């Protein structure tokens, strides 16, 4: 496959999402023979020194670019974000109660899973329409909660926190699957951070977990070994066969991010890319509408509707996008419409291409309406 063929298609999918072309080329080069092993990375033993170097290098690079303190373990686990929904209460639900800040479908699913293992306090009133992050002054936090849980970026609804919640000393847990490494943040403010790799840092099949030392050692008796943070920390994620290939690729993505300015550089790119799309929406006179309040708009996932949810027009828009090599722009099945995911690997030029198409589509249909 030639570079041109790669560059003629833009993957705006929410996950599995686009990987940096530079990383894909490295993977392609080493796929048949990893370094001096003369076997594929897909065949490499997780007990070998070569893989030990792979996982240690990935952890060291992440610790460097995120400034992860020494009292945190970096784990690579399986089961996706959904598996970690259960792992959180199974490992750290010490008081039997946990606070959940539900701002979209993923945090709602996490709260539902946690309710199997203890009491869940819903910090916000229940709603079926997620369009904002209510002011923290309205939150009902439980001072006796084992932890406070929230989702940094809701992929489906396009809601992103631009602040770290204040918990008054209660351990803070964050699902950062959709925006990990897209901006700098203070890791020391969190007890547990996790991220399914397939959205912003790698291929599906591995989940990054960053856990503080004082959260270890308290798993429930029913906690499965593969979800036990303490076991995985003691064994450096090697208690059982880990997703070797996925960890290898994630490590390459970490190195790519480091070469491109780290989280600070990614934040700069994220602002530029998302602004290109939001500017078209906001200047379309209502032809395009983003349902999310401006102070909660995601830089990673931009949902919008066309002409007040005109499904015929939206279908036409999607077909036209595919014809132009812009793939996976259809909104999540639960909300419909259009969704552009602008993860780290999406370039400014690719975001500009989508913005140009949106402008063209708007002009075409505005002219048609005027002529009719």
């Amino acid at each position: 496959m030639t570079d041109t063929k790669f560059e003629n298609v833009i993957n705006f999918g929410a996950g599995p999402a686009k990987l940096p072309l530079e990383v894909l080329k490295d993977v392609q080069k080493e796929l048949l023979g990893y370094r001096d092993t003369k076997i594929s990375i897909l065949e490499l033993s997780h007990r070998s020194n070569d893989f030990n170097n792979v996982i240690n290098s990935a952890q060291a690079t992440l610790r460097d670019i995120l400034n992860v303190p020494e009292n945190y373990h970096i784990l690579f686990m399986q089961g996706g974000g959904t598996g970690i929904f259960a792992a959180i209460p199974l490992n750290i639900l010490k008081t039997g109660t946990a606070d959940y800040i539900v701002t979209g479908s993923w945090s709602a699913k996490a709260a539902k899973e946690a309710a199997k293992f203890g009491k869940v306090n819903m910090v916000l009133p229940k709603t079926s329409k997620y369009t904002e992050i209510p002011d923290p002054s309205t939150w009902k936090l439980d001072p006796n909660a084992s932890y406070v849980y929230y989702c940094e970026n809701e992929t489906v609804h396009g809601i992103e926190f631009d602040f770290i919640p204040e918990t008054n000393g209660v351990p803070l847990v964050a699902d950062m699957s959709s925006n990990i490494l897209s901006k700098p943040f203070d890791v020391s403010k969190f007890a547990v951070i996790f991220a399914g790799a397939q959205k912003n840092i790698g291929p599906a099949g591995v989940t990054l977990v960053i856990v503080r030392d004082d959260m270890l050692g308290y798993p429930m008796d029913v906690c499965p070994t593969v979800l036990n943070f303490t076991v995985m920390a003691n064994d450096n994620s090697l208690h059982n066969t880990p997703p070797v290939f996925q960890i290898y690729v994630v490590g390459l993505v970490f190195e790519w991010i480091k070469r491109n300015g780290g989280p600070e550089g990614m934040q700069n790119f994220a602002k530029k890319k998302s602004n290109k799309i939001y500017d078209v929406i906001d200047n379309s006179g209502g032809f395009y509408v983003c349902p999310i309040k401006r102070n909660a708009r995601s830089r990673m996932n931009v949902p919008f509707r066309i002409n007040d949810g005109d499904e015929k027009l939206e279908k036409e828009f999607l077909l036209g996008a595919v014809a132009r090599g812009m793939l996976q722009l259809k909104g999540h099945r639960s909300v419909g419409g259009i969704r552009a995911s602008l993860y780290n690997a999406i370039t400014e030029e690719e975001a500009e291409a989508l913005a140009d198409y949106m402008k063209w589509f708007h002009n075409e249909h505005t002219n048609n309406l005027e002529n009719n």
Side-chain angles (χ1 to χ4, degrees):
M1 186 174 285
T2 65
D3 290 354
T4 302
K5 197 166 184 180
F6 272 119
E7 292 165 359
N8 281 343
V9 172
I10 308 171
N11 178 10
F12 288 107
K18 181 184 176 181
L19 288 165
L21 180 58
E22 189 177 326
V23 169
L24 289 175
K25 287 181 178 179
D26 288 340
V27 173
Q28 183 184 51
K29 183 173 63 178
E30 295 188 322
L31 190 60
L32 296 181
Y34 174 68
R35 306 291 163 90
D36 296 326
T37 67
K38 298 183 180 179
I39 62 172
S40 172
I41 184 68
L42 294 165
E43 304 168 313
L44 194 65
S45 169
H46 65 292
R47 301 298 181 192
S48 66
N49 287 332
D50 292 290
F51 183 67
N52 197 49
N53 291 335
V54 169
I55 195 168
N56 288 341
S57 176
Q59 290 166 330
T61 304
L62 181 65
R63 196 175 291 277
D64 177 30
I65 60 180
L66 262 189
N67 296 314
V68 179
E70 289 302 316
N71 62 323
Y72 285 77
H73 287 269
I74 296 171
L75 312 178
F76 295 105
M77 298 182 66
Q78 300 179 60
T82 301
I84 307 303
F85 292 169
I88 298 296
L90 284 166
N91 280 276
I92 67 172
L93 191 62
K94 302 176 187 178
T95 68
T97 301
D99 281 346
Y100 276 72
I101 304 170
V102 175
T103 54
S105 63
W106 288 112
S107 49
K109 289 179 180 179
K112 183 178 180 180
E113 190 72 14
K116 298 175 182 178
F117 308 105
K119 181 183 177 183
V120 167
N121 173 48
M122 302 295 279
V123 174
L124 304 175
K126 187 175 181 179
T127 181
S128 59
K129 193 174 183 180
Y130 302 106
T131 60
E132 63 177 328
I133 299 171
D135 190 277
S137 65
T138 67
W139 297 2
K140 295 182 179 179
L141 296 167
D142 181 352
N144 296 314
S146 298
Y147 59 88
V148 177
Y149 179 106
Y150 79 113
C151 181
E152 260 271 329
N153 186 92
E154 291 282 1
T155 315
V156 172
H157 294 90
I159 291 174
E160 183 175 16
F161 279 74
D162 65 355
F163 63 95
I164 296 175
E166 175 55 56
T167 65
N168 299 314
V170 176
L172 182 61
V173 176
D175 175 357
M176 295 191 182
S177 295
S178 292
N179 67 351
I180 188 76
L181 289 175
S182 70
K183 61 182 178 181
F185 64 92
D186 186 353
V187 174
S188 69
K189 292 185 179 294
F190 298 85
V192 182
I193 297 164
F194 72 92
Q198 70 275 10
K199 296 180 181 298
N200 217 24
I201 56 173
V206 64
T207 305
L208 171 69
V209 177
I210 305 173
V211 56
R212 201 170 62 208
D213 283 350
D214 62 333
M215 295 293 105
L216 302 178
Y218 303 96
M220 295 182 183
D221 292 340
V222 297
C223 181
T225 302
V226 293
L227 295 181
N228 189 316
F229 293 159
T230 305
V231 170
M232 291 299 168
N234 289 339
D235 292 340
N236 195 27
S237 304
L238 299 174
H239 182 79
N240 62 326
T241 306
V244 171
F245 177 74
Q246 284 84 352
I247 294 170
Y248 157 73
V249 178
V250 166
L252 294 178
V253 174
F254 289 165
E255 293 171 6
W256 175 83
I257 289 173
K258 184 176 181 177
R259 290 194 300 272
N260 285 276
E264 293 83 1
M266 295 299 109
Q267 177 175 246
N268 183 43
F269 292 138
K271 288 179 179 177
K272 290 180 179 178
K273 290 183 293 187
S274 58
N275 284 343
K276 291 178 189 295
I277 308 304
Y278 284 123
D279 284 348
V280 175
I281 293 170
D282 294 338
N283 292 307
S284 69
F287 183 77
Y288 298 115
V289 174
C290 174
I292 308 306
K293 292 193 176 180
R294 288 175 185 257
N295 64 350
R297 283 178 170 180
S298 170
R299 302 161 304 123
M300 298 288 102
N301 311 100
V302 182
F304 59 92
R305 302 304 301 257
I306 300 177
N307 202 29
D308 198 27
D310 186 325
E311 293 185 4
K312 183 179 179 181
L313 268 185
E314 290 174 349
K315 183 178 181 180
E316 184 182 337
F317 178 92
L318 291 169
L319 289 172
V322 171
R324 291 163 174 78
M326 301 178 195
L327 309 181
Q328 302 198 76
L329 280 164
K330 187 175 182 179
H332 191 271
R333 60 186 179 277
S334 65
V335 296
I338 319 294
R339 175 180 55 178
S341 293
L342 307 172
Y343 297 129
N344 287 343
I346 293 290
T347 66
E348 287 185 58
E349 292 75 18
E350 289 170 333
E352 185 70 42
L354 175 57
D356 287 344
Y357 170 55
M358 291 172 67
K359 293 173 187 175
W360 175 87
F361 190 86
H362 176 211
N363 289 335
E364 281 291 300
H365 287 278
T366 300
N367 291 335
N368 287 342
L369 288 172
E370 290 175 351
N371 292 334
N372 290 335

